[in-house]
Each structure stands twice: as structure tokens, then as C-alpha cells.
Amino acid sequence: MKLFVGLGNPGAKYARNRHNIGFLAVDRIAEDHGFGPWKSKFQAELAEGRLGGQKVLLIKPQTFMNRSGQSVGEAMRFYKLDSTDVTVFHDELDLAPGKVRVKAGGGHAGHNGLRSIHEHISPAYDRVRLGIGHPGRKELVSPYVLSDFAKADADWLDDVLRGVSDGAGFLADGDGGKFMNAVALRTAPPRSSKSSPQPDKPAENPAPAPEVDNRSAMQKLLDKFK
């Protein structure tokens, strides 16, 4: 079994916050891949299903971001899983909006949800980093991540969530490369290198064809003296 953990804060107040893009990602996976209904357990919302060749448990901790590790740790211990069976979907300030990266292990870079998971299960888990961009100054980070996505973000956000869902089966099977290819097909689809031939444009005001002079040499000479 694999645990796919989406990070966010519970409640309608936070539902469309940038900080909740992890919740949005697992919601899309559950919807697109026919997962079972969401249930409450391990201080989280859970949904079970299959992706690729794996049974997958989707988890949305309801402990608020700063204590996300509590529910992840409970679920991992209950199913006797290792931290390497866990993949966390989270917002990433250091990636431009619409960018997605896969990472195995590493630091938490100040992300409170990741910090909590580090404390409860160790840093040895996989992450899907979902770029939301940076507001520019450190003091603006908190209000920025706790604000809703702007209307202008709707298109790239939908592309990212669709791409993540498209590639979820590859991710469950451990193929990060194919997962990233699936995301790229949504977020940066290839452009055709062939351009359709353009029809020749008719010439504007074409010059009239020259008239043919059929007169004899004698007639031309006589016409000069008329």
C-alpha cells in the first residue's frame, strides 16, 4: 500500500487557499480515479482506491498544517508501512506557479507541514512539490499562502491538478519520470512543428494583359499620318 498525503488546513475558510493545493491534488485524484468515499480516521479524511498496480490510501490531515505529521504517523503505523511508502503533495514557494517537481527525502525548507511530518515519520519520504510562487518578501509569506488563488490562476491550476491526476498511477508505481511526463503534457503540451501551407494570395489589381497589334507595316505607316 502507498499513502498519498495532501497537505492543507481543514474547513471551508481555507478550501481555496494556496496553502491547500495539496488537498486539491488528492481531491482530484480521488474524483478522477473512482476512489471510495471519504471517511474520518487517524485525525484525517481518508479515501481508498487503486492506482497503477498499487492500493493507495489518500489522506487529508485535519489537524491543521502545523500538526500534519500526527495523522500521517498514525496511518503509517496502523498499516505497518515504511516512510518510503509515503508521498506528500504540498505547496512550494520556491517554484513558479504551475511548476511541479518530484523529490525523495531532503529538508523541510521551513514548511510547517513538512516539519511536522519530519518529526513523526523521519525525512525519508517522497514529495510532490506544487509551485505557487513567492510573494517577494519573507513577511508576506504567511498572508500569501493563506489567501485564495486569484482568478488569473484558474487555468494553470487546473492544468497542474489534471496533470498530477493523469500521472498518479505512475507515481504509485515509483516511476517519477513518467509522472512528470504526464504533468508536462497538461502544463506544457508540445507544439506541432508542421505548419499548414498557406494558399497563394491573388495579386492585388493585376495589370491588364498587353493588346496584340495585328496591323501590317504599311497600315502602321499610314496610321501615323492620319
Side-chain angles (χ1 to χ4, degrees):
M1 175 185 278
K2 300 291 185 181
L3 301 186
F4 278 10
V5 182
L7 295 188
N9 288 308
K13 175 182 177 181
Y14 303 101
R16 298 296 296 178
N17 281 185
R18 294 181 178 90
H19 221 17
N20 274 41
I21 194 172
F23 274 13
L24 298 177
V26 295
D27 279 340
R28 179 60 64 90
I29 291 171
E31 180 181 350
D32 290 351
H33 295 275
F35 273 60
W38 292 95
K39 300 177 182 178
S40 295
K41 195 174 183 179
F42 311 126
Q43 303 179 74
E45 294 292 314
L46 315 177
E48 292 186 22
R50 295 195 71 85
L51 293 169
Q54 300 286 340
K55 183 177 181 181
V56 175
L57 183 68
L58 302 178
I59 302 180
K60 295 188 294 183
Q62 301 295 293
T63 54
F64 286 93
M65 184 70 80
N66 294 4
R67 294 186 291 131
S68 298
Q70 292 181 10
S71 62
V72 177
E74 284 186 39
M76 196 181 79
R77 290 188 291 273
F78 180 86
Y79 290 105
K80 298 179 172 61
L81 299 174
D82 188 81
S83 63
T84 56
D85 296 315
V86 177
T87 300
V88 177
F89 297 76
H90 66 91
D91 56 306
E92 178 58 72
L93 288 164
D94 293 331
L95 287 177
K99 297 294 183 182
V100 178
R101 296 290 183 270
V102 178
K103 182 180 180 182
H108 54 68
H111 190 291
N112 289 332
L114 298 184
R115 179 186 280 113
S116 176
I117 294 173
H118 272 49
E119 293 170 356
H120 285 269
I121 74 169
S122 89
Y125 57 90
D126 293 338
R127 306 93 188 271
V128 175
R129 305 163 64 213
L130 305 168
I132 60 169
H134 197 287
R137 299 203 307 273
K138 186 176 180 179
E139 65 270 21
L140 298 177
V141 166
S142 182
Y144 176 75
V145 299
L146 293 176
S147 295
D148 287 356
F149 284 104
K151 288 183 179 179
D153 297 325
D155 288 343
W156 71 255
L157 178 59
D158 188 59
D159 287 340
V160 164
L161 298 179
R162 286 177 182 272
V164 166
S165 178
D166 291 347
F170 299 125
L171 195 64
D173 286 336
D175 196 331
K178 287 186 177 179
F179 168 76
M180 288 301 301
N181 286 341
V183 173
L185 286 174
R186 289 288 188 180
T187 59
R191 295 181 180 179
S192 173
S193 60
K194 296 179 180 179
S195 56
S196 54
Q198 297 295 320
D200 293 334
K201 293 183 179 180
E204 297 182 5
N205 301 321
E211 295 181 0
V212 179
D213 192 345
N214 294 319
R215 295 175 300 165
S216 66
M218 180 61 72
Q219 186 63 49
K220 292 177 181 179
L221 183 59
L222 292 172
D223 286 344
K224 279 187 178 182
F225 295 98
K226 284 185 177 179

